Amino acid sequence: MHVEASTKWGEASLDKKRIDRESLDEIERVTLGHYDRNAESFWLGTRDHDVSQNIRAFLQALSANFDNNRALDILDFGCGPGRDLYTFKEQGHRPTGLDGSQAFCAMARQHSGCPVLHQQFLSLDLGKRSFDGIFANASLFHVPGQELPRVLRECHRALRVGGILFMSNPRGEAEGWQRERYGHYMEFEASKRCLERAGFSMLDHYYRPEGKPRTQQPWLAIVCQA
Ligand SMILES: C[S@@+](CC[C@H](N)C(=O)[O-])C[C@H]1O[C@@H](n2cnc3c(N)ncnc32)[C@H](O)[C@@H]1O
């Protein structure tokens, strides 16, 4: 794999070099290739993960803004093999998946029976005011920092008034390749700045896993409103 010096894993703030178009394409191609090749083992390793705290936080925020009696249009952004699509559907909602991995799209359709869009985060086509909520569990951190403001603005545009974006990402201050996957880790303040610039208002945030000391909570979850 070809790795540009500017995209080696390292402190994000130290490396401001722009990532060119070709390297952005490579970031998506190599990361998605990794998920495609490891789709079955990813499913076996994550299908029983307990993300009920995240689903609860997301649906609670939605219930404050939308009629509780109607099925909500939910986009599962980076849905992987479809674990959470199934949960949203079981709860009476109308979820749609989105993933750049062909293998995950096929698995997610099969596991959930929901529609799944085969799209890449850097070339989204979500339309305007299409969803009540966007659930991005462990997915947005794959977007390079340079592109994140644009991707968040597209998510904002795809949400109806009062729509909710949930995101959970590994936290830290680093960006680059970790073996075959590209990642960008941010702490709360940097995430908040980015979300507010894209037009979101912060509603809540917490660290995971629940009930551990902060040093043992590598995940940051954020609930915000369009
Ligand atoms: C860590 S997995 C999380 C999957 C699922 N949300 C979950 O919680 O199990 C990250 C997901 O993002 C997808 N992904 C990563 N980079 C992507 C890109 N550039 N475009 C579209 N999907 C991408 C992967 O295919 C994978 O399904």
Side-chain angles (χ1 to χ4, degrees):
M1 182 195 29
H2 169 66
V3 176
E4 286 285 334
S6 62
T7 55
K8 281 186 186 147
W9 186 250
E11 266 186 62
S13 54
L14 292 182
D15 191 354
K16 298 272 189 200
K17 205 171 143 195
R18 249 196 113 63
I19 307 174
D20 62 24
R21 183 69 257 169
E22 199 184 324
S23 304
L24 290 172
D25 289 345
E26 182 187 45
I27 283 170
E28 292 205 290
R29 182 175 51 73
V30 174
T31 303
L32 291 169
H34 169 89
Y35 282 113
D36 269 331
R37 279 191 305 283
N38 296 285
E40 197 56 46
S41 59
F42 184 90
W43 170 239
L44 295 176
T46 60
R47 65 181 175 186
D48 296 324
H49 276 185
D50 180 4
V51 291
S52 54
Q53 183 189 17
N54 295 347
I55 290 187
R56 231 179 6 256
F58 175 61
L59 291 178
Q60 258 168 24
L62 278 164
S63 72
N65 292 356
F66 295 98
D67 177 359
N68 278 323
N69 296 318
R70 86 165 165 87
L72 296 169
D73 292 312
I74 292 171
L75 179 68
D76 188 342
F77 188 92
C79 62
R83 178 197 62 219
D84 304 329
L85 282 173
Y86 179 83
T87 306
F88 290 127
K89 189 175 163 185
E90 282 285 284
Q91 296 195 19
H93 298 297
R94 225 172 7 230
T96 298
L98 181 150
D99 209 280
S101 151
Q102 287 273 18
F104 280 160
C105 287
M107 288 165 95
R109 287 184 195 110
Q110 195 193 348
H111 293 148
S112 69
C114 295
V116 178
L117 308 171
H118 181 229
Q119 287 188 23
Q120 295 183 201
F121 298 160
L122 300 188
S123 47
L124 294 167
D125 180 13
L126 300 178
K128 197 172 173 190
R129 309 236 160 128
S130 314
F131 301 99
D132 301 312
I134 299 180
F135 185 74
N137 195 70
S139 54
L140 272 167
F141 74 95
H142 284 305
V143 175
Q146 157 189 318
E147 300 298 308
L148 190 59
R150 176 177 66 79
V151 171
L152 290 177
R153 280 196 303 275
E154 289 177 35
C155 289
H156 188 277
R157 182 175 179 273
L159 283 168
R160 297 187 181 124
V161 176
I164 299 295
L165 170 67
F166 170 89
M167 61 160 82
S168 172
N169 294 307
R171 65 192 185 89
E173 285 177 3
E175 173 160 7
W177 287 103
Q178 287 183 305
R179 300 169 70 102
E180 292 182 328
R181 281 183 290 182
Y182 191 91
H184 174 215
Y185 295 4
M186 287 188 294
E187 292 291 353
F188 175 67
E189 284 304 326
S191 308
K192 177 173 181 280
R193 266 197 308 277
C194 218
L195 285 161
E196 287 179 344
R197 274 190 208 135
F200 289 98
S201 323
M202 308 300 291
L203 292 179
D204 189 18
H205 74 281
Y206 53 86
Y207 298 92
R208 273 176 53 86
E210 220 174 352
K212 300 263 188 191
R214 186 60 46 82
T215 51
Q216 293 169 39
Q217 292 181 312
W219 291 88
L220 165 63
I222 297 179
V223 186
C224 54
Q225 181 177 310

